[in-house]
Amino acid sequence: MNSQFNQAIEAFQSGNFDRARILAESEISGTESPEAHHLLGLVHCRLGDPASGIEHLRLAAKAEPANAGYILMLMRALVDAGRATDVLEMPKPPPIRSAAALELWRARGEAADDAEDLDASQDAWSAITAAAPRDWKAWANLGNALAAKERWEEAGEALSKAASINPDELAIQRNAGSASLQAGKFEQAVGYFSALARARPEDAETRILLAHAFAESERHDEAIAEFETARRLGGPSLATELGIGRSLVAKLRFAEAEPVLKRAYEIAPADSLVVRQYGVVLERNNRLDALANLLDAAIEAGIGADKLSYLSAVIARRQGRLDDAHNLLLQSDPEDNPVGWHRLRARIADALGNVTEAFEAATIMNQKGLEQAMRTMSAEEWQQNAASYREEQHQLARAITPEWASRIPLLSEPSPRRIAFLVGFPRSGTTLLDTFLMGHPDIAVLEEEQLVGKASLGVKVKDLPGTSIDFVREARATYLRGVSEHVARDFGGLVLDKFPLDMAAAPLIQAMFPGAPIIFAQRHPCDVVLSGFMQSFGVVNFANIRDTADYYDAMMSTWTASRDAMKLNTRTVVYEELIEDPEEVLRPVIGFLGLEWDERVLDHQQTARERGTIATPSYDQVTEPISKSARGRWKRYRKQMEPGLPILLDWAERLGYRD
């Protein structure tokens, strides 16, 4: 090169861009040199004239198409000028076999990101990661592109690779955790966000991310703790209050959820999601007046009626306006609350006598519930586990004999507390019955706390004959500690432990509390199974009529075998008799429990209003006058129930039902 061009380069390097421009233009006029065009392009870009700069850079690249440096500078100038799409229209760089080719692909990837061309971005960063597998930035960019395409599992893998290469880059840890969360790899997400929390223990946003990961993993106690930590660090926010409220709802702690969601509502009164969640909890707590006021305020805040149609339908159904409820529900979006929406449709359609619609809605409701529950397990695994559990119960029922029962050690020392139990297959009327009994001043009801299960200390019922008296003593001590967490130690009355499915744990109950009163709630098997199927239990055993009938058969077989082999101290309460004449049924039950009759037992509606939140699906029924409409409801669904009828009608005959 001549001295003038060398002077132009020196001027450029020293920052004297005007002199560099003059000298380079003089060089071009004499030789049309690609080098001069390239330099002049750089100069114009530095002088704030990207259009002229790009034109010169393009001429240089055209003159020497094999010069990777010229092409690279043109690509970067185009991106800087906001013309990233022009870069993507250029020929793709050659395969990566040199550092120069690698840089060209990197520039193409950056252009694709700038242009938001996700396919081109994925293509470029995939090429780079294949050629340079230790390039953490390329893995991160590839992961971000895949995440933008909602290909969460692949995004998580790419971001995980980036995080493993550079564990100190917290932003990548966060993105990897978020992608894992979206991909359904909840425990992996917990791992990423836990690492972030250790690195940034005082960062509220990190705590919120970790809390969400715990919530998605169904680890709601840990989720609540992390949300509360975030609240302590950053003050109450919509994220913390809504997050805590949702986890409390997931744990059926509706009374605690209400004030938390109220705070979320006060923070964001015009947020339709918050209003809907808060409204669902108000209805769950039977606070219909408060719910109506919430809807009025939400409309005033500008939330469209279409966003509130579900809650309006809830109120209409509770008020008996069934046609209005049906119409309002159909105006709402089922995807806002898939399980609740289809459950409400099933209940409304059933009340209207629309059998086909009700059953179809219940079927979809169960499918949606299982989809939510199956986030950590495939559908096939859920089905296999459920079938295995039912078969285990069948085998247990066959194993329970008087000889088997005689080998279970029973405690002889009296219990320091008076304990009785209320069991029965779900939807047999246990909630109605415990609400009646709760009206007695000398009865404290434990509502589905699963204390017997915790007292088992991991030992299965089938293995009880091989245990020692010391095990049973420790089991009872564990159980009584659990009771004291819910009932004051100085309460001298009777503690009634209502956990319906403890019917399968009767041998352990007898071992811990020999001769303890056990009330068994009975209802027509077909009505029980139909009602269970039409509730949103979210459990695979209730997914269809056949499996629910088999589950009923397994549990009832275990219960009856235990009752007969161990000569349990039981009294059966027949649901159909209870709703017909409560006093006639309840007087002998109170006597069976060793208590004096009290008229307050009969005022179940007042007791229901005073007891606060009811955690079972019957929460809205026990506050109403007793209805006999559910008796024999299964007959309207005979066709839909055909897969389970051979099992259920056999049990109906054994239990004394004539229809």
Side-chain angles (χ1 to χ4, degrees):
M1 300 298 295
N2 59 41
S3 60
Q4 180 172 296
F5 185 72
N6 289 334
Q7 290 174 32
I9 294 174
E10 291 174 2
F12 177 78
Q13 292 174 341
S14 65
N16 191 343
F17 302 126
D18 286 326
R19 175 171 170 74
R21 177 180 58 77
I22 293 170
L23 292 171
E25 286 176 345
S26 177
E27 178 70 17
I28 288 173
S29 63
T31 64
E32 289 295 320
S33 150
E35 294 91 339
H37 275 297
H38 179 68
L39 178 60
L40 193 54
L42 298 178
V43 168
H44 277 294
C45 288
R46 291 294 184 90
L47 288 172
D49 183 6
S52 298
I54 288 169
E55 184 58 31
H56 285 289
L57 291 171
R58 194 185 299 279
L59 290 171
K62 183 178 180 181
E64 294 187 14
N67 190 319
Y70 287 179
I71 296 172
L72 181 63
M73 288 300 104
L74 173 60
M75 295 168 77
R76 289 180 174 167
L78 287 167
V79 171
D80 291 343
R83 296 168 56 184
T85 54
D86 288 1
V87 175
L88 302 181
E89 292 172 1
M90 295 171 63
K92 286 186 179 181
I96 302 175
R97 298 192 181 95
S98 65
L102 179 65
E103 290 306 310
L104 290 174
W105 275 102
R106 193 182 305 281
R108 182 175 176 82
E110 291 166 356
D113 290 344
D114 196 73
E116 298 182 354
D117 187 326
L118 300 180
D119 290 335
S121 177
Q122 180 188 341
D123 181 53
W125 298 117
S126 294
I128 295 171
T129 54
R134 297 296 299 170
D135 189 331
W136 64 269
K137 289 185 178 179
W139 282 111
N141 289 336
L142 175 59
N144 293 338
L146 290 165
K149 297 174 77 171
E150 297 186 359
R151 292 168 59 174
W152 297 112
E153 187 161 352
E154 296 167 87
E157 291 173 359
L159 290 163
S160 296
K161 184 71 173 177
S164 68
I165 298 170
N166 185 3
D168 297 328
E169 189 69 24
L170 297 182
I172 295 178
Q173 297 279 351
R174 176 175 291 187
N175 290 345
S178 297
S180 298
L181 209 56
Q182 293 286 352
K185 297 184 176 181
F186 306 125
E187 292 301 328
Q188 184 171 302
V190 166
Y192 283 119
F193 294 136
S194 294
L196 275 173
R198 287 191 296 272
R200 306 174 66 180
E202 300 302 311
D203 182 68
E205 182 60 30
T206 296
R207 296 288 184 173
I208 289 172
L209 291 171
L210 177 56
H212 281 303
F214 278 133
E216 293 293 343
S217 302
E218 305 292 338
R219 294 162 62 177
H220 291 290
D221 287 331
E222 291 162 286
I224 291 168
E226 289 299 330
F227 278 125
E228 288 176 342
T229 298
R231 179 201 281 162
R232 176 179 58 80
L233 293 171
S237 68
L238 181 59
T240 59
E241 306 315 292
L242 189 57
I244 294 171
R246 284 176 158 177
S247 283
L248 288 169
V249 167
K251 292 183 70 65
L252 307 182
R253 290 159 59 180
F254 300 105
E256 296 171 73
E258 183 177 329
V260 177
L261 290 170
K262 182 180 180 182
R263 286 196 293 272
Y265 169 69
E266 289 168 348
I267 293 169
D271 187 314
S272 60
L273 173 63
V274 174
V275 170
R276 288 198 300 271
Q277 183 70 76
Y278 183 32
V280 165
V281 168
L282 287 174
E283 191 266 342
R284 200 63 176 71
N285 289 338
N286 288 314
R287 295 189 6 90
L288 297 187
D289 289 343
L291 175 57
N293 292 336
L294 174 68
L295 294 184
D296 290 341
I299 291 172
E300 287 185 17
I303 299 177
D306 59 317
K307 298 291 186 182
L308 305 173
S309 296
Y310 174 81
L311 293 176
S312 298
V314 167
I315 291 179
R317 187 195 74 83
R318 295 287 295 267
Q319 294 174 340
R321 297 184 290 110
L322 296 176
D323 288 324
D324 289 345
H326 191 265
N327 293 334
L328 285 165
L329 182 65
L330 295 182
Q331 293 172 25
S332 64
D333 185 353
E335 292 308 309
D336 288 340
N337 177 12
V339 174
W341 194 94
H342 289 286
R343 179 176 185 268
L344 183 58
R345 185 174 189 181
R347 298 189 71 176
I348 295 170
D350 177 72
L352 288 169
N354 299 335
V355 169
T356 301
E357 180 185 2
F359 197 84
E360 288 177 354
T363 300
I364 298 172
M365 170 197 70
N366 283 307
Q367 177 187 340
K368 296 292 184 181
L370 286 175
E371 287 173 1
Q372 291 182 3
M374 291 187 300
R375 291 174 302 174
T376 57
M377 192 181 298
S378 70
E380 293 74 17
E381 289 175 305
W382 270 94
Q383 293 286 354
Q384 290 171 5
N385 288 351
S388 296
Y389 175 76
R390 295 195 300 272
E391 178 55 30
E392 184 178 314
Q393 288 300 131
H394 283 301
Q395 292 176 5
L396 174 61
R398 291 190 290 269
I400 296 176
T401 63
E403 188 280 329
W404 177 93
S406 69
R407 293 185 285 115
I408 298 176
L410 308 181
L411 288 177
S412 58
E413 57 264 36
S415 168
R417 304 192 78 148
R418 298 166 62 194
I419 307 289
F421 299 86
L422 171 54
V423 302
F425 197 78
R427 306 301 296 163
S428 292
T430 54
T431 301
L432 176 61
L433 180 54
D434 82 27
T435 303
F436 275 120
L437 297 176
M438 197 178 291
H440 197 291
D442 291 331
I443 295 179
V445 175
L446 286 173
E447 180 95 42
E448 306 203 15
E449 294 296 339
Q450 205 171 4
L451 297 185
V452 173
K454 294 173 184 175
S456 71
L457 305 175
V459 174
K460 293 187 175 182
V461 171
K462 69 180 180 65
D463 297 323
L464 286 176
T467 57
S468 67
I469 196 68
D470 288 335
F471 160 77
V472 180
R473 191 171 287 114
E474 178 58 27
R476 184 164 81 175
T478 301
Y479 179 89
L480 291 173
R481 284 194 295 271
V483 171
S484 295
E485 293 176 4
H486 302 280
V487 181
R489 293 180 184 274
D490 60 357
F491 176 72
L494 177 79
V495 176
L496 179 64
D497 183 350
K498 176 266 188 113
F499 193 83
L501 291 178
D502 276 346
M503 61 190 292
L508 178 58
I509 292 174
Q510 178 72 350
M512 294 189 297
F513 303 98
I518 303 177
I519 301 171
F520 176 70
Q522 174 186 305
R523 186 181 179 188
H524 193 293
C526 295
D527 277 333
V528 165
V529 165
L530 176 63
S531 184
F533 173 75
M534 297 188 74
Q535 297 300 322
S536 52
F537 285 123
V539 220
V540 73
N541 284 316
F542 290 91
N544 58 63
I545 291 295
R546 181 184 57 79
D547 287 354
T548 310
D550 185 48
Y551 188 37
Y552 179 88
D553 183 38
M555 299 299 286
M556 284 294 293
S557 297
T558 301
W559 162 252
T560 55
S562 301
R563 180 197 62 197
D564 297 341
M566 302 193 76
K567 295 182 170 43
L568 302 177
N569 180 23
T570 70
R571 183 172 187 90
T572 297
V573 172
V574 178
Y575 173 79
E576 291 82 2
E577 295 174 356
L578 177 65
I579 61 175
E580 190 67 38
D581 191 339
E583 183 171 358
E584 183 175 345
V585 171
L586 292 169
R587 276 187 177 273
V589 170
I590 294 298
F592 170 70
L593 295 175
L595 301 171
E596 295 294 326
W597 175 253
D598 191 298
E599 290 293 331
R600 284 172 286 185
V601 168
L602 297 176
D603 194 355
H604 80 286
Q605 289 179 264
Q606 181 62 30
T607 301
R609 286 190 289 270
E610 292 176 352
R611 70 183 287 187
T613 301
I614 300 170
T616 71
S618 305
Y619 70 95
D620 58 342
Q621 295 169 316
V622 297
T623 59
E624 303 295 333
I626 291 177
S627 171
K628 301 175 185 177
S629 62
R631 182 171 55 190
R633 180 174 62 152
W634 71 272
K635 295 176 184 177
R636 293 190 281 128
Y637 292 85
R638 182 182 286 271
K639 179 180 179 181
Q640 288 83 356
M641 294 193 66
E642 284 179 357
L645 287 182
I647 293 173
L648 299 174
L649 291 178
D650 178 63
W651 272 106
E653 184 177 350
R654 291 166 64 180
L655 295 173
Y657 292 95
R658 293 187 176 86
D659 52 1

